[in-house]
Amino acid sequence: MRNLIVAALGAALLLSPICVGAQTTPAAAPPPPPPYGMSIGFDAAKKAIAAAEAEAKKNNWPVAIAVVDTGGHLVAFSRLDNTQIGSVDIAIGKAVTANNLTRATKALQDGIAQGGANLRLLAVKGITPLEGGVPIVVDGKIIGGIGVSGVMSNQDAECAIAGANAAK
């Protein structure tokens, strides 16, 4: 009986590296984010604001729109009539978050929705993990971020994407 147990343990030890290796194969790494470029200028920021405003007005959405440079500093801002005052800081926060973390804020919102370790994002000062902020990318480089707030987050994102596309 003892020999049988020793043989079973030996077989388990011989096979364990194969099983462990098969289970811990790393997944493919995501592509790196685009690098930062020269900061967005006022004229390009005005184009982004105008396009985001046009999208909002087309849908009768009262929103606040913020554009920041690569340092996360406000370059241009607009608040349409009847936009709730709380949306001002939220729009700026979304723009800064998208710029500083080099990704759309929807990715953060989705991560938090999954729970677990992703909830750590809620403890990071200065992060606004709500959909509606996107980096502004021109010629493959981030030149700033745009954030929109005032309606449903997916509607905020529609306006932000329109603005980001117009800044090119």
Side-chain angles (χ1 to χ4, degrees), residues 53-80:
E53 280 183 355
E55 184 69 21
K57 288 177 180 177
K58 175 178 83 175
N59 292 291
N60 200 29
W61 293 334
V63 297
I65 306 159
V67 174
V68 299
D69 63 15
T70 57
H73 304 287
L74 193 62
V75 176
F77 181 83
S78 176
R79 182 171 63 93
L80 300 180

Side-chain angles (χ1 to χ4, degrees), residues 4-165:
L4 183 59
I5 293 172
V6 170
L9 286 173
L13 287 174
L14 287 173
L15 293 176
S16 65
I18 296 169
C19 295
V20 170
Q23 293 173 352
T24 59
T25 303
Y36 288 100
M38 294 294 293
S39 285
I40 190 168
F42 184 62
D43 289 338
K46 286 192 308 185
K47 288 180 188 176
I49 293 279
E53 280 183 355
E55 184 69 21
K57 288 177 180 177
K58 175 178 83 175
N59 292 291
N60 200 29
W61 293 334
V63 297
I65 306 159
V67 174
V68 299
D69 63 15
T70 57
H73 304 287
L74 193 62
V75 176
F77 181 83
S78 176
R79 182 171 63 93
L80 300 180
D81 291 340
N82 298 316
T83 301
Q84 59 194 6
I85 300 302
S87 290
V88 171
D89 290 333
I90 295 169
I92 295 169
K94 288 178 181 184
V96 169
T97 299
N99 175 73
N100 291 354
L101 297 183
T102 67
R103 69 199 67 185
T105 55
K106 181 176 182 357
L108 304 174
Q109 177 177 293
D110 291 348
I112 288 170
Q114 293 173 1
N118 294 316
L119 295 176
R120 293 178 292 186
L121 286 170
L122 296 174
V124 180
K125 184 179 178 183
I127 299 293
T128 304
L130 304 169
E131 184 177 8
V134 295
I136 299 172
V137 180
V138 175
D139 295 330
K141 295 187 178 182
I142 296 173
I143 64 168
I146 183 169
V148 178
S149 178
V151 286
M152 301 293 292
S153 289
N154 63 317
Q155 296 166 334
D156 291 342
E158 278 184 50
C159 296
I161 291 166
N165 289 337

